[in-house]
Amino acid sequence: MSFQKNIRINDYDYNLPKEKIALYPLSERDASKLLVYKNKQISETIFRNIANEIPKDALLVFNDAKVIHARIVTSTPTGARIEIFCLEPIDPVDVQLAFQQKNRCVWKCFVGGNRKWKGDSLQITTRHSERSEETVGKQIPHFVRNDNSVVIKRGEKLDDAWEIIFEWNNDLTFAEILETVGKIPLPPYIHREVEDSDEDRYQTIFAKIKGSVAAPTASLHFTENVLKSLVEKGIETATLTLHVGAGTFKPVTTETIGNHIMHDEKVMVSQECLQKILKAKAENRPIIPVGTTSLRSLESLYWLEPNEQHVSQWKPYEDSEMASTPLSHLVLRSLSEVEAPAPIVFSTSLMITFGYKFRIATGIITNFHQPKSTLLLLISAIVGDDWHKIYDYALSHDFRFLSYGDSCLLLL
């Protein structure tokens, strides 16, 4: 057993006062504060100056996932509130195909108020041409079905979630259904209702591929002006897609992380992105992922074998021969030499924690994370025990925490 499995989650706890949690974004995305950890020294600046802190020959890798209206709020005939949180598709299992479905699809969902859901089904209404607070989650009087209704049925119990069947009788795709009846799913630690401004501010400027139930929040700070400053310095960029799942907020409840089951997420890497990574690796240039999702994607790509479609949680730690052999160029090159320039699609449940040896990433741009979380464990893999020093500095220098908070640049 690797020593990583014996890491105690209580060693990654810290006091996070609730007033430090940002409930709203700043009026200007790039006006957030930036903590810089370089050569084991801490400094700070404003995010719009980040190009001055990044090596001029670096490659930045962004996640272009787009947050869907995954949160549906409705009620039972007796008025009981029911909240349905779409996690991932079951039938069809492919995210993009699921969004294209008409009339029926099945999703794995969290269900809030489940005990109050009596009977077989609920119904909500849609509007073909508009979306307003008056129509979101609105129930049809007397449950009379018409072309604007969506029937919601419970299927099998799936651990802490449910199989939910959606059925409707109009020409809308499921993506359009969600846009009409759903809401942006703000993280559970932002204790307020969704507001109109969240429609824009909880999406990055890179948001393109629908499927995430949470934003890749490190990218929320980027603006067109910041991108322009990167280009002027000669810093290259690339994008990949990791659909962020609700598991990113799942707390570690076990005493040691060896007993924690890491959430699974889908990744897609285009050939263009892959070639940029290979080129940067060959030239020994820094590769800096923007966000934990991009970092997890890059490191998972290293461990993905040519004929496999999944990277398991403990793969880097349990295969000592592979862990000590520099396979990245062999694996990546074999993947890049397929005849058709198709993207590489796979899933990962990779756990990155203290003692992990990075194969692709040479740093990270990220926000500040919750105590006792897998994301904080990932940060410790980059900076070791200095995470205490970094977080103490942020807490004592008025940095804002979590999704709508400030950010940091951590360089290996």
Side-chain angles (χ1 to χ4, degrees), residues 19-196:
E19 61 269 19
K20 295 290 186 180
I21 300 174
L23 298 183
Y24 291 90
L26 297 179
S27 59
E28 299 178 35
R29 290 178 183 263
D30 57 7
S32 56
K33 296 177 70 172
L34 176 69
L35 183 150
V36 180
Y37 176 84
K38 188 185 304 184
N39 299 322
K40 295 189 174 295
Q41 299 299 313
I42 295 174
S43 61
E44 66 174 273
T45 183
I46 302 300
F47 192 87
R48 61 173 59 105
N49 299 326
I50 192 170
N52 298 331
E53 307 294 338
I54 298 174
K56 64 180 181 180
D57 57 347
L59 169 66
L60 296 192
V61 182
F62 296 92
N63 182 1
D64 65 3
K66 187 172 185 177
V67 183
I68 61 174
H69 288 174
R71 180 170 166 256
I72 300 171
V73 179
T74 186
S75 58
T76 67
T78 59
R81 178 186 172 100
I82 304 294
E83 184 169 325
I84 297 169
F85 194 110
C86 297
L87 298 174
E88 60 184 42
I90 296 175
D91 182 22
V93 69
D94 180 81
V95 173
Q96 300 309 312
L97 285 179
F99 287 139
Q100 295 168 17
Q101 292 304 296
K102 294 184 177 182
N103 303 124
R104 185 183 188 276
C105 64
V106 183
W107 280 65
K108 177 181 178 181
C109 302
F110 288 146
V111 178
N114 178 67
R115 292 183 180 179
K116 300 175 183 178
W117 184 348
K118 310 298 183 183
D120 295 331
S121 63
L122 300 173
Q123 290 190 13
I124 51 179
T125 59
T126 68
R127 291 293 181 269
H128 290 237
S129 60
E130 63 180 0
R131 179 181 185 275
S132 66
E133 287 302 314
E134 288 73 28
T135 62
V136 172
K138 184 177 179 182
Q139 194 175 326
I140 297 176
H142 309 297
F143 282 60
V144 177
R145 180 166 184 165
N146 59 42
D147 286 344
N148 287 337
S149 69
V150 180
V151 177
I152 304 175
K153 301 177 183 178
R154 277 179 302 186
E156 297 180 5
K157 187 76 169 64
L158 305 171
D159 296 325
D160 57 347
W162 286 86
E163 178 185 81
I164 299 295
I165 301 101
F166 297 91
E167 296 177 338
W168 62 100
N169 277 339
N170 54 53
D171 291 331
L172 297 180
T173 64
F174 188 66
E176 293 168 327
I177 293 290
L178 283 184
E179 286 295 312
T180 304
V181 304
K183 298 182 179 182
I184 286 288
L186 290 180
Y189 45 71
I190 295 182
H191 297 296
R192 64 172 175 81
E193 285 298 316
V194 175
E195 299 180 8
D196 289 344

Side-chain angles (χ1 to χ4, degrees), residues 233-253:
K233 191 175 177 180
I235 296 169
E236 190 177 16
T237 62
T239 59
L240 49 74
T241 306
L242 180 143
H243 289 306
V244 189
T248 193
F249 304 117
K250 182 180 179 181
V252 180
T253 57

Side-chain angles (χ1 to χ4, degrees), residues 167-230:
E167 296 177 338
W168 62 100
N169 277 339
N170 54 53
D171 291 331
L172 297 180
T173 64
F174 188 66
E176 293 168 327
I177 293 290
L178 283 184
E179 286 295 312
T180 304
V181 304
K183 298 182 179 182
I184 286 288
L186 290 180
Y189 45 71
I190 295 182
H191 297 296
R192 64 172 175 81
E193 285 298 316
V194 175
E195 299 180 8
D196 289 344
S197 61
D198 295 310
E199 291 289 331
D200 173 61
R201 293 308 302 276
Y202 198 61
Q203 299 280 15
T204 73
I205 64 171
F206 309 98
K208 181 179 179 182
I209 309 297
K210 292 182 179 180
S212 285
V213 301
T217 54
S219 294
L220 291 177
H221 307 278
F222 282 84
T223 63
E224 293 299 335
N225 284 336
V226 171
L227 291 180
K228 181 180 178 181
S229 69
L230 295 174

